[in-house]
Amino acid sequence: MRVRVNGEYLDTNVDSIWKLRDECGYQSENTVVIKNGYQTSEDVELTEGDIVSFIKKGVMPDEKQLAELMRARHTPGVYDAVKDARVVIAGLGGLGSNIAIMLARMGVGHLHLIDFDTVDASNLNRQQYYIRHLGMYKTDAMKELLGEINPFIEVTTDCVKITEENVLSLVEDADVVCEAFDNPAAKAMLTEAVLTRTDKVLVAGSGMAGIDSSNTIKTKKVMNRFYMCGDGVTGAGDGIGLMAPRVTVCAAHEANMIIRIICGMENV
């Protein structure tokens, strides 16, 4: 029968996943086995057309092997849709830093990161940075982190403040623009520019402060090419802080909607 192993087609006479593992030279105690997207520790039957990944524990695979692994682990068709996509993330704070990491883990092929700020200690309660990043520009710190997650995606950065003058040039190559600002005026400016001066799809966030129920955070289609994530109400203020749980929930809504748009699952 013919099966696909780590991205290569293989003709084999064996009839089980463990026999195939042994035939391909992988040690049982040091190998993760994934068959048709599902990790298994049992010696299951092998059938024509199966897609199999053998992963050595503790070893970084090469680019082709990692791509095949991600293709195997994702819902069918998702990786092939996102691997060539281009997403701009405007703002790398609580929302943007989390969104960037989620999209990198999904294998989105090109992430364009935009922020002008540096990492400080007040960011550590909700943003995806570490003590070693204190004082670094967020664009540099996030690019470093993404390289540790998936070194094979393309990450470009602009350490600038987005303005009415430069916004169009910054988003011109994007399939989707992700708004992740914490400044209302900046949010309004970016939203107006993207929706009235480009044909891009915009995914934004509003309302994720405090410790209200996570279930109040929703994703809503506001209008054509514009999606809003959050509860739409709860902003940071006196006695209401921004903290990791609800901020991350909102970031996940944005990241998931971006993936749905890229995969053609939304009538944008």
Side-chain angles (χ1 to χ4, degrees):
M1 73 181 77
R2 170 162 282 202
V3 296
R4 186 177 175 92
V5 180
N6 288 2
E8 302 287 347
Y9 286 103
L10 175 70
D11 292 314
T12 182
N13 294 319
V14 302
D15 58 2
S16 78
I17 198 73
W18 285 4
K19 290 178 183 177
L20 180 66
R21 178 197 62 199
D22 295 342
E23 181 179 76
C24 292
Y26 288 87
Q27 298 177 345
S28 60
E29 68 275 7
N30 196 41
T31 303
V32 175
V33 179
I34 297 174
K35 177 177 177 286
N36 298 331
Y38 180 73
Q39 184 172 333
T40 180
S41 58
E42 299 180 357
D43 190 17
V44 295
E45 181 183 4
L46 194 67
T47 59
E48 180 78 23
D50 280 342
I51 300 174
V52 179
S53 292
F54 295 124
I55 309 155
K56 292 182 179 180
K57 293 182 179 180
V59 178
M60 179 63 189
D62 62 28
E63 183 174 3
K64 185 174 183 178
Q65 289 174 330
L66 182 62
E68 187 67 15
L69 169 62
M70 295 183 75
R71 183 178 288 109
R73 291 296 275 169
H74 286 3
T75 299
V78 171
Y79 178 74
D80 289 320
V82 305
K83 66 184 178 64
D84 297 319
R86 307 177 72 86
V87 178
V88 165
I89 303 176
L92 296 174
L95 286 175
S97 64
N98 281 285
I99 292 165
I101 284 178
M102 292 180 209
L103 296 184
R105 293 194 188 281
M106 290 295 298
V108 172
H110 182 189
L111 297 177
H112 183 178
L113 313 177
I114 308 172
D115 201 301
F116 64 91
D117 203 1
T118 57
V119 179
D120 66 62
S122 71
N123 302 145
L124 300 180
N125 81 316
R126 68 196 185 281
Q127 301 181 21
Q128 288 287 352
Y129 303 107
Y130 298 91
I131 291 172
R132 73 175 187 267
H133 296 129
L134 294 177
M136 289 179 64
Y137 284 111
K138 290 182 178 180
T139 47
D140 293 338
M142 185 50 57
K143 186 172 184 177
E144 175 191 290
L145 283 171
L146 298 185
E148 294 176 0
I149 293 169
N150 187 338
F152 305 120
I153 63 174
E154 182 181 2
V155 179
T156 60
T157 62
D158 275 297
C159 188
V160 297
K161 186 174 183 178
I162 298 181
T163 66
E164 292 185 6
E165 289 71 32
N166 66 14
V167 60
L168 297 186
S169 63
L170 290 171
V171 306
E172 62 182 354
D173 292 333
D175 297 312
V176 181
V177 178
C178 174
E179 180 275 314
F181 290 145
D182 57 9
N183 180 291
K187 285 177 177 284
M189 181 275 295
L190 181 64
T191 300
E192 189 277 335
V194 171
L195 295 180
T196 66
R197 301 165 64 190
T198 80
D199 60 356
K200 312 298 182 183
V201 182
L202 177 66
V203 178
S206 178
M208 72 242 26
I211 54 172
D212 196 4
S213 171
S214 297
N215 294 330
T216 63
I217 293 177
K218 308 289 185 180
T219 301
K220 178 182 179 181
K221 184 176 183 179
V222 180
M223 57 187 291
N224 287 342
R225 299 189 293 111
F226 185 25
Y227 295 83
M228 181 67 73
C229 305
D231 66 21
V233 177
T234 315
D238 190 0
I240 304 178
L242 289 165
M243 293 166 286
R246 291 189 91 235
V247 169
T248 305
V249 170
C250 187
H253 272 254
E254 288 199 57
N256 193 58
M257 179 50 64
I258 290 167
I259 296 299
R260 287 179 57 80
I261 292 166
I262 292 170
C263 291
M265 300 177 70
E266 295 290 332
N267 183 17
V268 298

